[in-house]
Amino acid sequence: MADSLPEHDRILQEIESTDTACVGPTLRSVYDDQPNAHQRFMEKLDACIRNHDREIEKMCNFHHQGFVDAITELLKVRADAEKLKVQVTDTNRRLQDAGKEVIAQTEEIIRCRVQQRNITTVVEKLQLCLPVLEMYSKLKEQMNVKRYYSALKTMEQLENLYLPRVSQYRFCQIMIENLPKLREEIKEISMSDLKDFLESIRKHSDRIGETAMKQAQQQKTFSTTLQKQNNINYGRNMHLGRSRILESKNEITLKRTFEEDDEHEEEVLTAQDLVDFSPVYRCLHIYSVLGDGEIFENYYRKQRRKQARLVLQPQSSMHETVEGYRRYFSQIVGFFVVEDHILHVTQGLVTRTYTDELWNMALSKIIAVLRTHSSYCSDPDLVLELKNLIVVFADTLQGYGFPVNRLFDLLFEIRDQYNETLLKKWSGLFRDIFEADNYSPIPVANEEEYKIVISKFPFQDPELDKQSFPKKLPMSQSVPQIYIQVKEFIYASLKFSESLHRSSTEIDDMLRKSTNLLLTRTLSSCLQNLIKKPHIGLTELVQIIINTTHLEQACKYLEDFISNITNISQVTVHTARLYGLSTFKDARHAAEGEIYTKLNQKIDEFIQIADYDWTMSESDGRASGYLMDLINFLRSTFQVFTHLPNNNNDHAAMSGKVAQTACMSACQHLSTSLMQMLLDSELKQISMGAIQQFNLDVIQCELFASSEPVPGFQGDTLQLAFIDLRQLLDLFMVWDWSTYLADYGQATSKYLRVNPSTALTLLEKTLQSCWLSLSAGRSHGFPSCRCMGKKCGSCCCRGARASFQPPREWAGARDGAVPPAEHQPVLYSWIRALGCKGIF
């Protein structure tokens, strides 16, 4: 119990000194103590409360007087407070009355303040919206004036800078919704402008290309003129006169070139001057800004490829005129000049790889087109102009960085075509020259005419120079004209070789090869055709032989001519030689053969008019008229051969050899023709009178051969042409069959050249005539009988006739009937058995 009292005091102290929020744990400790501790604590608490009450009562008693005094003072103040209240109320009333106007004004001020605040807010918002509206208005204006790239920039500023500030407003939402539509509209408009540009550039390509090619040609002409001016004195010692002319011409040309350059200096135009490329730039920028640059690049390249295919497609009649080729080249050059311009002024739209690929494709197509169309060209001038256009075309594109080596390789193919057209043209010129020639030696009346001919053709003959005027040159007018035309051909061929970027050696080789073709093909063909023409007579053929000799000798001068114009010495290892020697030799051989052929044809014509009476009993006693005419013709012909001008020993030997060969050929052909006349299968019978007449004709032929119609034959060489006929006729005229049969096969035989089959054939014809004469009882006109020296019908001939009993199969034979083959041996045996070899 004693222990619990201090504990209760401690708890009470804690309750008094502790915050009421922490009283709980203290009170809980009261219940946690000993039983009945709660009762004892309450008792202790009541005692504590009584103590505190006593203390409060003591304190109140101590302060009671002061409290009473305060109440008294307060009651005194009450009256004053009532007065003060009345005064305050009156003052408040008066203040309220006086403040009503102030309150009204204050409310007005407040309203104004609110309006001012609202206006300030509106101004601030408008200041945010006005730039947006201004930018949108600017966008619309840019769209109207087609400044689409600037419009896209404005859109970008609107979206990124202005619209986010005022995005809460409805009009901004409308703007935001319209901007993608405007972008699509810009893309469509710019693409439409690009399509218009592509259509326009298709029409202007030829003008662009023409301008570019003209500038390249002017630059090349200027450079070439300067080069010629620097090299004007080259080769002056060799061609002084010609160099002076060239020098004056070059000075005039150079001066004219400078003047033209000065006149046209301000007129030099570029692709950008001729075409407005802004649609391309604009469209490229627009698509790049919109992030569709790759789409635009693909579209542009695709469209340009299509245009390239159209440009590369030529017109079907392009090969007919040079303007067709010029238009074709201009369009191609214009196309690639535009692409080159786009390549250098844009980044990525056109790449070098793309242009190279496009050019390679175009180059293959161009080469195929030119190869095809050039093959249709038959005019060398057109082919030459085409070559010049190709060179300018290649030089122009090479200046823009495109490789053109394949074009120059193509020119070598076209050069072959050009040579073919030249050969055809010169073939016509040669034919005209040959047709206009009189095939007579060139007469020169004085020194002036002689020099004129010598200036055209390199002719040298010391023997002819010693003769006085007037005199004749051995060749005809066609020789100097042919020589001049060959030189003109070389010049024409040289024109194509110029500007091909080839060395002088290659040009020299090309000139020589083309000249060889002219000589070996064209001129040779013309000579062969000329020789075969029917109106070319023997005299003309001989003159042609002389002409070809002089042309052959002039080949070395043509080689010098080519060396002079190419400045390549003939001693160069790779220098080709002219093959004119073989050409003119072949022509001479053909002319000689034609001489022999025409002589033989003329002999055949005379033979065809021969009119023998093969059944005549006796000869006319003189040669046939046709044969005498033939011999007179041959004699006059060979006199023409021998009277040709032979101032030169070579000419004399040549014409003499031709005359000898022709004479021998004519005699041999005449002999063969006469032999064939006797052995003609349609001729069934020949009387001895006809043989005598034929013998007279052969005698005239032998007399002609022995009269030396052409000098130079040794001994009886010419007479040997008729030896076969002579021996055959002697056999029948003498009827020396025993000798023929006895000596047959021996080298010393008198009738060595008589072929048995020939003798048998002729014997059949004579015996048939004999038998028919005997059967008809006619005079047969056979040779005189050797035993009596009288005509047939006397002496042993009568006995022979009487003893001859022909087979019965022959009896009653018709005139012209041939004894049967099985009876012919009987006839020959009877002939050999005759005592009189002259028979009948």
Side-chain angles (χ1 to χ4, degrees), residues 213 257 273 337 444 514 625 652 713:
M213 291 175 66
T257 303
D273 298 327
V337 167
V444 287
S514 59
F713 286 107

Side-chain angles (χ1 to χ4, degrees), residues 462-477:
E463 296 296 331
L464 184 62
D465 292 340
K466 296 177 182 179
Q467 297 180 12
S468 59
F469 292 99
K471 52 188 175 183
K472 293 183 178 180
L473 302 180
M475 63 278 189
S476 63
Q477 289 289 351

Side-chain angles (χ1 to χ4, degrees), residues 415-416 419 423 489-490 493 505-521 562 574-579:
R415 185 182 182 278
D416 296 335
N419 284 336
L423 293 176
F489 175 86
I490 295 172
S493 182
T505 304
E506 292 176 306
I507 294 176
D508 181 88
D509 186 63
M510 288 188 289
L511 289 181
R512 292 177 185 273
K513 288 181 179 179
S514 59
T515 307
N516 279 329
L517 284 177
L518 177 71
L519 296 177
T520 57
R521 280 180 45 187
I562 295 176
H574 302 288
T575 301
R577 293 291 182 264
L578 298 184
Y579 304 137

Side-chain angles (χ1 to χ4, degrees), residues 569-836:
S569 175
Q570 294 188 34
V571 299
T572 305
V573 176
H574 302 288
T575 301
R577 293 291 182 264
L578 298 184
Y579 304 137
L581 299 177
S582 60
T583 297
F584 298 120
K585 286 179 180 178
D586 294 341
R588 280 200 300 276
H589 293 159
E592 292 172 5
E594 191 66 19
I595 288 175
Y596 311 145
T597 301
K598 286 185 179 295
L599 274 175
N600 294 340
Q601 290 175 351
K602 197 66 177 177
I603 292 172
D604 292 338
E605 292 176 4
F606 281 101
I607 295 295
Q608 289 174 2
I609 63 174
D611 187 17
Y612 283 103
D613 182 8
W614 297 106
T615 61
M616 64 173 56
S617 58
E618 294 183 358
S619 67
D620 294 338
R622 62 179 182 273
S624 302
Y626 86 92
L627 188 67
M628 297 307 297
D629 293 340
L630 172 58
I631 290 175
N632 291 332
F633 164 75
L634 293 176
R635 199 180 302 277
S636 61
T637 299
F638 294 131
Q639 285 178 353
V640 172
F641 276 57
T642 56
H643 285 86
L644 288 172
N646 295 326
N647 302 309
N648 190 299
N649 293 331
D650 295 336
H651 298 160
M654 179 269 299
S655 60
K657 180 181 178 182
V658 173
Q660 291 174 8
T661 307
C663 186
M664 177 59 74
S665 174
C667 291
Q668 290 176 345
H669 185 73
L670 177 58
S671 175
T672 303
S673 299
L674 293 174
M675 181 69 77
Q676 291 175 351
M677 188 184 299
L678 287 175
L679 303 178
D680 188 3
S681 59
E682 296 182 0
L683 180 61
K684 303 301 182 181
Q685 57 179 332
I686 300 176
S687 66
M688 289 303 297
I691 291 180
Q692 289 173 356
Q693 182 63 42
F694 198 82
N695 182 60
L696 292 176
D697 293 343
V698 174
I699 291 173
Q700 289 298 323
C701 293
E702 292 173 333
L703 290 174
F704 168 75
S706 62
S707 66
E708 198 176 7
V710 173
F713 286 107
Q714 296 180 356
D716 56 352
T717 303
L718 197 57
Q719 290 92 315
L720 292 176
F722 300 96
I723 189 63
D724 293 352
L725 269 177
R726 173 46 52 208
Q727 292 185 8
L728 180 63
L729 291 174
D730 286 346
L731 176 61
F732 277 82
M733 291 293 294
V734 182
W735 210 255
D736 194 9
W737 291 98
S738 59
T739 304
Y740 176 73
L741 294 173
D743 297 341
Y744 180 76
Q746 298 180 9
T748 59
S749 175
K750 180 180 178 181
Y751 303 103
L752 180 63
R753 306 298 292 270
V754 178
N755 188 285
S757 61
T758 302
L760 179 60
T761 302
L762 185 58
L763 180 60
E764 291 173 353
K765 298 178 184 292
T766 56
L767 289 180
Q768 179 64 23
S769 176
C770 173
W771 165 242
L772 294 175
S773 298
L774 288 175
S775 300
R778 295 194 301 264
S779 175
H780 43 75
F782 268 58
S784 300
C785 181
R786 281 193 175 185
C787 58
M788 297 298 292
K790 298 181 181 179
K791 292 247 181 167
C792 294
S794 61
C795 190
C796 61
C797 290
R798 289 193 296 271
R801 270 198 308 277
S803 63
F804 175 62
Q805 298 294 330
R808 282 178 295 180
E809 289 83 354
W810 291 8
R814 301 187 312 273
D815 289 347
V818 178
E822 62 269 18
H823 298 295
Q824 290 178 7
V826 178
L827 178 62
Y828 302 149
S829 300
W830 172 76
I831 291 173
R832 288 195 296 272
L834 291 178
C836 177

